[in-house]
Amino acid sequence: NLKLGGLGPDYEAIKEKVKKLKLQKEYSRQIKEYNMKNIAVVQRLPAKPQVSSVCRQKALEYAKKIPRPKTFIPKPSEQEVQELQAGIILPQLPSLESLWNRHEKEREVVAAFEALHIL
């Protein structure tokens, strides 16, 4: 009387696993309820003692009296400013006539492409 493995699922093994999982979930639920009851009974730790307002006032007064560090931003000298301005060369802007001529030429090129049905 040997039972060999089959091709289908083993329903008996699956039922055992499901039963075991249900027992685990039930046990965890019971433990959770027990812990929640015990935690409610245990007293909480005492809160931190309040710092008196006198100490805070003293600290604020001390902070007001401390001199703040001053930031020093050196201004460039006149000679450095002149050197920077001399080193920067602005590009020449094209005149309105040259821009208009360029525009007309490009319009002609586009018109030629449209005549050839390229665009």
Side-chain angles (χ1 to χ4, degrees):
N1 292 333
L2 281 178
K3 182 177 178 184
L4 300 175
L7 295 176
D10 187 8
Y11 291 111
E12 293 177 15
I14 293 173
K15 287 179 184 178
E16 290 175 9
K17 288 181 182 180
V18 169
K19 184 178 177 182
K20 186 176 179 181
L21 284 174
K22 285 182 182 179
L23 288 174
Q24 287 177 347
K25 286 184 181 182
E26 179 63 25
Y27 178 74
S28 67
R29 187 186 60 76
Q30 290 175 357
I31 295 295
K32 184 177 179 181
E33 288 177 5
Y34 175 78
N35 287 338
M36 292 301 286
K37 288 178 185 176
N38 286 344
I39 289 174
V41 174
V42 174
Q43 293 181 353
R44 302 241 182 242
L45 293 174
K48 287 194 272 184
Q50 293 287 334
V51 177
S52 67
S53 61
V54 175
C55 292
R56 179 166 171 75
Q57 291 299 326
K58 286 181 181 179
L60 290 173
E61 288 297 322
Y62 177 74
K64 287 179 184 176
K65 293 178 183 177
I66 295 176
R68 302 283 183 239
K70 296 183 180 181
T71 57
F72 177 71
I73 301 173
K75 294 184 179 179
S77 66
E78 292 181 22
Q79 185 180 9
E80 291 175 352
V81 171
Q82 290 175 356
E83 288 175 2
L84 289 174
Q85 290 177 350
I88 298 173
I89 299 172
L90 296 175
Q92 293 291 331
L93 295 175
S95 67
L96 183 61
E97 286 183 27
S98 64
L99 290 174
W100 185 256
N101 292 335
R102 179 177 163 197
H103 173 70
E104 290 297 327
K105 288 179 186 176
E106 290 175 353
R107 277 179 95 178
E108 291 173 4
V109 171
V110 170
F113 282 135
E114 287 176 352
L116 297 173
H117 301 291
I118 294 176
L119 292 179

